[in-house]
Amino acid sequence: MRYAYYPGCSLEATAKEYNQSAKIVARHLGLELWEIPDWSCCGATAAHNNDHLLSLALPARNLALAEAEGLDVAVPCAACFNRLRAAEEAVRESEAMRATIGEIIGRDYRATNRTRALLDVMVNGVGLEKIGEQVVKPLTGLKLACYYGCLLVRPPKLTAFDDPEDPMTMDRLVAALGGEAVTWSYKTECCGGSLATARTDIGARMIYQILRRARDAGAEAIVTACPLCMLNLDMRQGQAAAAQGDRLNLPIFYFTELMGVALGYAPKDLGLTTHFVNPLPLLEAKDVLRHPATRRERA
Ligand code: SF4
């Protein structure tokens, strides 16, 4: 199974551990990720706040490079996924838009390929059965709140792989890894995104609500598929909780990191040693880390 891979800016900077763990897990499962050469920023939220055409042309260029290779595109970042899907649909729906974008990016993009979230590719492409067969350290006893955020499953016309109100893709993955996904009502609440930078007071409240609800639902950690959600929930957690007179110490994981743990890879190789809230004591307490002497080699 071969996909074009669009890591996006975050996975080269704040979310290196997402990139690292995604590549290790993909290789292990026989999923070939061909990184689009010379990929450029998708523009994310900044571009579509300023210039509609630019916000479509930036991701379209990346999609065109993958289309030339005849490949569908796998995207780990929820924000990138959303913007790439928007460009794909705009070109598919309008010949005039296709011509305009073609002129801007200097190549013909016909939207014959499809953009998919990496989570969707793993769960519905590779398949839970195959993933489950490879588990050597089931996440037994680990209670996890699956947090989808607002961009991974909305708007449903673009995202289309899960329910926009009560998504279950990550929950099913957690179960296949042997863990327990808790029931909670904040799985698609907004974490505030970059508001956490512009209005830290508002952002901190939004972040705290998500963390607190997860903890109240019995979760020992949160799982995410978005670099910005991770940044807010992990890096800003101490500040957000302290503002409410609380201290949570709730580890946050990328779903690919937990897959790597269950497949037997070492925490360091998955980037788990770089988190702000150290997740290792929890993993050690649950005995879900493979013994160092038998761990898999770096992929
Ligand atoms: S959306 Fe980004 S956060 Fe995700 S990588 Fe593209 S510009 Fe960055």
Side-chain angles (χ1 to χ4, degrees):
M1 197 182 300
R2 188 169 187 250
Y3 277 83
Y5 181 60
Y6 178 75
C9 321
S10 297
L11 274 81
E12 298 241 315
T14 58
K16 280 183 179 165
E17 66 272 39
Y18 195 6
N19 207 14
Q20 217 172 315
S21 54
K23 286 179 176 174
I24 283 183
V25 166
R27 192 177 307 180
H28 185 100
L29 295 169
L31 174 65
E32 188 186 343
L33 297 177
W34 174 79
E35 186 164 327
I36 298 170
D38 192 33
W39 60 263
S40 48
C41 176
C42 70
T45 50
H48 77 98
N49 275 335
N50 291 301
D51 186 321
H52 181 61
L53 210 45
L54 176 68
S55 77
L56 297 176
L58 282 169
R61 177 183 170 277
N62 297 301
L63 292 172
L65 293 169
E67 185 178 52
E69 198 73 13
L71 293 174
D72 289 344
V73 187
V75 187
C77 169
C80 299
F81 166 61
N82 213 283
R83 295 316 307 160
L84 265 64
R85 281 286 299 125
E88 181 189 325
E89 283 306 307
V91 166
R92 197 167 284 144
E93 284 173 359
S94 163
E95 274 299 317
M97 182 58 82
R98 173 185 162 186
T100 305
I101 285 178
E103 210 171 298
I104 295 171
I105 67 174
R107 55 168 69 223
D108 186 23
Y109 168 53
R110 292 170 293 125
T112 55
N113 52 350
R114 297 202 71 87
T115 306
R116 295 179 68 177
L118 184 64
L119 176 68
D120 175 31
V121 169
M122 287 290 185
V123 172
N124 301 315
V126 174
L128 293 176
E129 200 180 324
K130 180 168 180 181
I131 293 169
E133 282 167 5
Q134 294 296 318
V135 169
V136 292
K137 261 294 182 186
L139 308 181
T140 312
L142 194 55
K143 293 187 175 62
L144 298 157
C146 295
Y147 177 59
Y148 298 76
C150 43
L151 290 174
L152 191 62
V153 290
R154 292 201 294 256
K157 178 178 180 288
L158 291 183
T159 56
F161 73 94
D162 207 336
D163 188 306
E165 300 297 333
D166 186 19
M168 289 299 292
T169 308
M170 220 180 320
D171 297 61
R172 290 193 288 123
L173 176 63
V174 162
L177 299 177
E180 184 186 330
V182 302
T183 302
W184 69 314
S185 55
Y186 267 50
K187 53 168 63 168
T188 60
E189 286 296 314
C190 175
C191 72
S194 34
L195 193 65
T197 308
R199 286 291 308 267
T200 48
D201 53 333
I202 299 173
R205 282 202 299 274
M206 297 171 82
I207 291 164
Y208 178 71
Q209 282 298 324
I210 292 162
L211 295 164
R212 187 70 254 174
R213 296 295 174 126
R215 180 64 98 197
D216 290 347
E220 296 162 302
I222 293 180
V223 199
T224 180
C226 172
L228 193 51
C229 299
M230 168 60 99
L231 192 81
N232 280 339
L233 299 179
D234 183 40
M235 187 180 84
R236 299 186 197 283
Q237 181 175 148
Q239 199 182 358
Q244 304 294 327
D246 202 351
R247 189 169 177 278
L248 293 165
N249 200 31
L250 199 60
I252 317 296
F253 294 99
Y254 289 111
F255 72 94
T256 47
E257 291 174 327
L258 286 178
M259 289 177 77
V261 167
L263 295 178
Y265 288 92
K268 192 165 184 294
D269 294 342
L270 298 166
L272 283 164
T273 49
T274 64
H275 292 202
F276 283 83
V277 179
N278 182 4
L280 297 184
L282 173 65
L283 297 177
E284 280 158 5
K286 296 287 172 184
D287 193 24
V288 296
L289 292 177
R290 210 164 190 227
H291 190 280
T294 57
R295 77 183 186 204
R296 294 184 195 282
E297 293 306 313
R298 185 188 295 268

